Structure formats: structure tokens, C-alpha cells
Amino acid sequence: MPPKQTVLTLAGTALALLLFVWIGVRAYGGNVSALLHMDEQFGQRYAVPAGVVLYKDAGYDGMLYYQIAREVPAVFAGGNVSFDSAYRFQRILLPLFAYGTALGNEQALPYTILLVNLAAAMGALAFVLSMMPGKTLHALTVVANPAILVGIVYSLTEPLSLLFVAAFFWVWEKNGRTLTLLSLLLLLLSLLARETTVFLIALLLVWFVWRRQWKQALLVLAPVALPAIIKVTKP
């Protein structure tokens, strides 16, 4: 059972994040779709369901991940998608998890995107607390940072990517800083959430080369190589 301090930290953080979200949506009557930051032009072009908050100003990336979540059935059916952006589709995990959590219900997507990001933030904190017992303030920096906070209120992919990064380091430390199949899978998942994980992989590669751990250096390239091979071999 987790220590009492850990449970209290997680509970307090969850309440703080919910308050943060409430501040972000209260001006819109509590409508969570406001966190998508979708502009009117985008909403009209893709015929979003009634009730989605549309901004007059230019939208932001959250609206793109929402639309990709709507396109998930077409992606897996091999059909045409109305929103065509290979750059955004490579960040498929948030839309995929949101769609799966919503059970395909488009009306629920704004809520499930928020739910996935909140769960990711809490999961990342739980992993870091486990790795840093007795250093609660240090661990809280994983949540109290722009990547997580902005990611939540703008429906971005950073929280999910950081969850898998935190999980990777937890597994990596548990295995004596040796790569395992699970740790490589976590790196791949983080990469599929947000491609900037490649910079972490590059640093790990340098670290392994510096320590002359050649096998580990080759293994750490696997999460990058697999998507690259799929992309090259795709007809």
C-alpha cells in the first residue's frame, strides 16, 4: 500500500488539477470542449457536433487531435480521412486513447481527451514519487510545469508523452539502468504520443556510447527504427 504521504500528495494534486481545469472552463458554462481551443473556421469545415465551443480567434493544436480522434475508425479501416496531416497523425496515441475511452461516442471526446491527460499527469507523478521517496516537492515539478499544465487546458499530447517517459525511467531504474523489452515499449509509446521523445533517445544513445555499452546503444534505437521502417515500407 502506498505511504500515507504519497496518497495525500496524489489526492491534493488531483484536486488542484481539477480546480485548474474548472478555472479554464467556467467562462464557458463548464463546457469542457472549450479546452480544445477550436476556431469557427475549423469547426465549420469539419462539421463538429453541436455544443462544441468555437473561438473567433485562431485555434490551437487541441482541435487537431480532437479531429484525429474522430477519424480513428477511418484510419483503422484503411479509408480516406477528411483531415490529412501526416505530421499530426504521428501523434496518434492521445486521439486513439480518447476514442477508445469514449467508446466511439463523438460527443464524449472532449471529456475523454481531458480524462486521458489528467490520468497521464497523475500517473507520471505516481511514478516519480515512487522513484523519489521523501522528496515530494521535487516530484511535484513533473506536474507543476508548463508541459503538463498547458497540455491539460489546451488538450495537447505532452502529458501522455511524459507519462511514458516517467514510466520508462521507473522501469529503467528498477532494472539497474538496463534496457528491457518493457522499457523499449514505453519509449516507443512516448514517441507515438509525441515525436520529441527522439531527443531523450538521442541522450540515452550518447550515454550508452560513452559507457561503451554497445548492445544497449543499438537497442535504444529500436523505438525510432520501427516507425521509420513502417513508414518506408508503407505502400
Side-chain angles (χ1 to χ4, degrees):
M1 183 175 180
K4 182 179 180 180
Q5 183 180 3
T6 299
V7 173
L8 290 175
T9 299
L10 290 171
T13 302
L15 290 174
L17 289 177
L18 288 174
L19 176 61
F20 186 63
V21 169
W22 177 78
I23 292 172
V25 301
R26 64 174 179 169
Y28 303 93
N31 190 332
V32 171
S33 69
L35 302 181
L36 300 173
H37 292 267
M38 184 181 298
D39 60 55
E40 291 180 349
Q41 183 179 4
F42 188 91
Q44 292 167 3
R45 179 178 180 182
Y46 293 101
V48 299
V52 174
V53 174
L54 301 178
Y55 290 73
K56 292 184 178 180
D57 298 330
Y60 203 66
D61 288 9
M63 67 182 185
L64 309 180
Y65 303 127
Y66 165 79
Q67 183 59 29
I68 292 172
R70 297 176 72 199
E71 306 267 15
V72 164
V75 171
F76 282 94
N80 294 325
V81 294
S82 58
F83 177 67
D84 187 12
S85 173
Y87 176 69
R88 298 299 177 185
F89 268 91
Q90 69 183 350
R91 302 175 180 179
I92 191 62
L93 276 198
L94 176 59
L96 184 60
F97 286 179
Y99 178 84
T101 308
L103 301 177
N105 182 356
E106 284 194 10
Q107 298 288 348
L109 286 176
Y111 297 90
T112 56
I113 289 174
L114 173 61
L115 177 63
V116 169
N117 273 341
L118 287 173
M122 295 305 300
L125 177 59
F127 279 117
V128 175
L129 284 170
S130 177
M131 288 187 290
M132 304 175 68
K135 297 182 179 180
T136 302
L137 289 178
H138 295 76
L140 282 171
T141 59
V142 76
V143 172
N145 74 78
I148 290 288
L149 298 179
V150 175
I152 289 173
V153 296
Y154 276 78
S155 302
L156 305 179
T157 58
E158 281 86 348
L160 193 58
S161 179
L162 287 175
L163 166 65
F164 291 120
V165 168
F168 162 78
F169 278 111
W170 187 85
V171 172
W172 194 50
E173 290 288 345
K174 290 290 184 181
N175 288 276
R177 298 189 175 182
T178 299
L179 294 174
T180 62
L181 181 60
L182 177 57
S183 62
L184 291 173
L185 175 62
L186 291 168
L187 278 180
L188 176 61
L189 290 172
S190 180
L191 194 64
L192 292 174
R194 192 171 182 85
E195 76 287 344
T196 49
T197 302
V198 72
F199 295 110
L200 169 60
I201 293 173
L203 289 174
L204 289 167
L205 176 61
V206 171
W207 192 79
F208 286 128
V209 169
W210 179 67
R211 294 173 61 87
R212 297 185 179 181
Q213 294 177 280
W214 310 118
K215 183 178 179 180
Q216 294 286 294
L218 288 174
L219 282 174
V220 80
L221 294 174
V224 178
L226 182 59
I229 292 171
I230 293 173
K231 185 176 181 179
V232 170
T233 57
K234 184 178 179 182

